[in-house]
Structures are given as C-alpha cells and as structure tokens.
Amino acid sequence: EVELVESGGALVQPGGSLRLSCAASGFVFSSYVMGWHRQAPGKGLEWVAGISVRGGTTYLADSVKGRFTISRDNAKNMLYLELNNLKTEDTAMYYCTKDSKAYQAVGPTISPDFLRGQGTQVTVSS
C-alpha cells in the first residue's frame, strides 16, 4: 500500500523558515516524480514544487521561486521542502505528492490522477 506521511508544518512568523518532510513507502520511490501541492483556505490545490526521479531537475512555481527548495533522498525514501522567507500568503496545507506514472518528466503540471498524503499545516502569522 502506498503511503505518504508529511511532517514539519508549524506556526511561524513572516520571514521565518521551515523544513517539511515526507516519508514514502509501498512503491519504488526512485521511479517517480515527487512534489508538493498546497491548498490555502478557500482556494484550490496549487502545484508548487516537483523533482525528477534522480533529483537532477526541479520545478518551482513562480510564487515560491527563490524562497523554496525541493530535494529528495532516494536511499531513505524521503522528500523534503525547504521554505525560507515565508510570507502570510504561504499559509496553507502542504501535501506530499506522487506522480501516477513512473519516469515522467517534471514540470509545471503533474498527471491528474496523482496521489497525495494527508498534509501538514503551515501557518505564517505575526
């Protein structure tokens, strides 16, 4: 059974930093594009970051480019998202996401039938 378990969300002040983690199991982690979606209150799901199967190529949405960094450790089946210089508009539930098909390219979209975890809450407020 595929399992994606996020952690690391918290309440932080504007300008602060966080590191989100995702522990993956139940599939060949190194064969899939992975990434992060987020959903702010009252808004739709946003694909904010993706990473290729070996980690050599990443995608970051314009809204987070220069502030967020995505990485993965295939030996540990772990996915990470470093969030720096956080803004109030980054407040959202963040979801670890697995592509539905192996060995796809990473980019501004992901296969529509992706799988995501339960999420971890990031709240940016003073």
Side-chain angles (χ1 to χ4, degrees), residues 4 9-10 13-14 30-31 42 48 72 75 77 98 102 106 116 126:
L4 302 170
Q13 293 186 341
S30 59
S31 297
V48 293
R72 65 191 297 165
N77 287 2
K98 168 191 171 292
V106 66
R116 59 182 167 104
S126 55

Side-chain angles (χ1 to χ4, degrees), residues 62-89:
D62 288 342
S63 56
V64 305
K65 201 170 292 183
R67 301 187 298 119
F68 291 10
T69 303
I70 186 171
S71 61
R72 65 191 297 165
D73 185 336
N74 285 347
K76 296 181 178 179
N77 287 2
M78 293 293 295
L79 179 71
Y80 305 101
L81 188 66
E82 295 275 355
L83 294 70
N84 296 308
N85 190 20
L86 281 160
K87 304 177 181 180
T88 54
E89 52 262 42

Side-chain angles (χ1 to χ4, degrees), residues 32-35 49-53 55-59 70-72 79 106:
Y32 289 85
V33 165
M34 298 293 296
I51 188 165
S52 60
V53 295
T57 303
T58 61
Y59 164 78
I70 186 171
S71 61
R72 65 191 297 165
L79 179 71
V106 66

Side-chain angles (χ1 to χ4, degrees), residues 2-123:
V2 174
E3 196 168 18
L4 302 170
V5 180
E6 303 94 336
S7 61
L11 169 63
V12 294
Q13 293 186 341
S17 297
L18 282 175
R19 188 194 199 202
L20 306 184
S21 299
C22 171
S25 61
F27 64 103
V28 182
F29 181 75
S30 59
S31 297
Y32 289 85
V33 165
M34 298 293 296
W36 296 87
H37 278 97
R38 70 182 180 185
Q39 187 165 25
K43 296 190 177 181
L45 208 57
E46 178 187 13
W47 172 241
V48 293
I51 188 165
S52 60
V53 295
R54 294 184 179 179
T57 303
T58 61
Y59 164 78
L60 292 169
D62 288 342
S63 56
V64 305
K65 201 170 292 183
R67 301 187 298 119
F68 291 10
T69 303
I70 186 171
S71 61
R72 65 191 297 165
D73 185 336
N74 285 347
K76 296 181 178 179
N77 287 2
M78 293 293 295
L79 179 71
Y80 305 101
L81 188 66
E82 295 275 355
L83 294 70
N84 296 308
N85 190 20
L86 281 160
K87 304 177 181 180
T88 54
E89 52 262 42
D90 294 317
T91 294
M93 186 72 79
Y94 284 72
Y95 298 97
C96 176
T97 300
K98 168 191 171 292
D99 203 345
S100 60
K101 299 178 182 179
Y103 299 110
Q104 300 300 293
V106 66
T109 60
I110 190 171
S111 304
D113 49 347
F114 59 84
L115 185 71
R116 59 182 167 104
Q118 293 298 308
T120 187
Q121 178 67 39
V122 173
T123 302

